[in-house]
Amino acid sequence: MRRAIELSLQNVAVHGGGPFGAVVVQDGVIVGEGWNQVTANNDPTAHAEINAIRAACKTVARFDLRGASIYTSCEPCPMCLAAIYWARLDAIFYANTKLDAAAIQFDDNFIYEQLSKPVDERSIPMTQLLRDEASAAFVLWRNNASKTPY
């Protein structure tokens, strides 16, 4: 956790992005580090946890991080939380809370509220198009004997 906090402090000091840091640990060893690079990279997905997961996956050469844990300087936002589940990390350890983040203008409550609404009630309109055409890829995937399941 101290390394995640150190990364968050360093990031603020060099104006690299928001005050967030994260590390992925497997068998007591840091296998991935990340810090917020949203403004530095003009990438809204470049959160500390996402960057730490990407680095860890490269290090261990797989997309499944079972057996590893993430330590993050702040409770993960909805995007990062989803990525943690997709990566199949075993545990999340965090320092600051989402309420602490909201107090400094990093408020994710709106997103949590949007996710709980039916699709047709969300603030960004969602319109389904060409489902029949798109389903062809799903059929190919389902029938592909050489696929790598995840």
Side-chain angles (χ1 to χ4, degrees):
M1 180 60 78
R2 286 190 176 95
R3 179 61 181 153
I5 293 168
E6 180 182 351
L7 290 168
S8 71
L9 290 165
Q10 288 175 359
N11 203 42
V12 173
V14 300
H15 307 290
F20 305 99
V23 296
V24 174
V25 176
Q26 185 170 2
D27 300 323
V29 176
I30 294 174
V31 294
E33 294 186 339
W35 49 92
N36 184 286
Q37 295 179 302
V38 169
T39 57
N41 293 350
N42 293 319
D43 179 353
T45 69
H47 289 201
E49 297 91 339
I50 301 290
N51 290 332
I53 289 168
R54 289 174 178 160
C57 288
K58 285 182 183 176
T59 298
V60 301
R62 61 181 203 275
F63 59 83
D64 183 327
L65 294 175
R66 282 185 181 100
S69 299
I70 191 164
Y71 293 77
T72 179
S73 65
C74 187
E75 186 175 354
C77 75
M79 176 183 68
C80 293
L81 186 58
I84 289 165
Y85 276 98
W86 276 112
R88 296 175 179 88
L89 286 154
D90 287 359
I92 303 166
F93 299 93
Y94 63 95
N96 294 309
T97 69
K98 63 184 178 182
L99 295 176
D100 297 329
I104 61 165
Q105 309 305 307
F106 289 93
D107 190 352
D108 300 321
N109 195 50
F110 174 75
I111 299 170
Y112 282 109
E113 290 172 356
Q114 288 294 301
L115 292 173
S116 68
K117 291 182 177 187
V119 171
D120 61 346
E121 293 179 19
R122 294 181 183 161
S123 66
I124 298 176
M126 293 179 65
T127 305
Q128 185 177 28
L129 300 172
L130 304 176
R131 180 178 181 210
D132 291 340
E133 290 181 38
S135 68
F138 282 22
V139 171
L140 284 173
W141 172 260
R142 183 181 58 224
N143 297 331
N144 183 346
S146 64
K147 67 183 170 230
T148 302
Y150 61 94

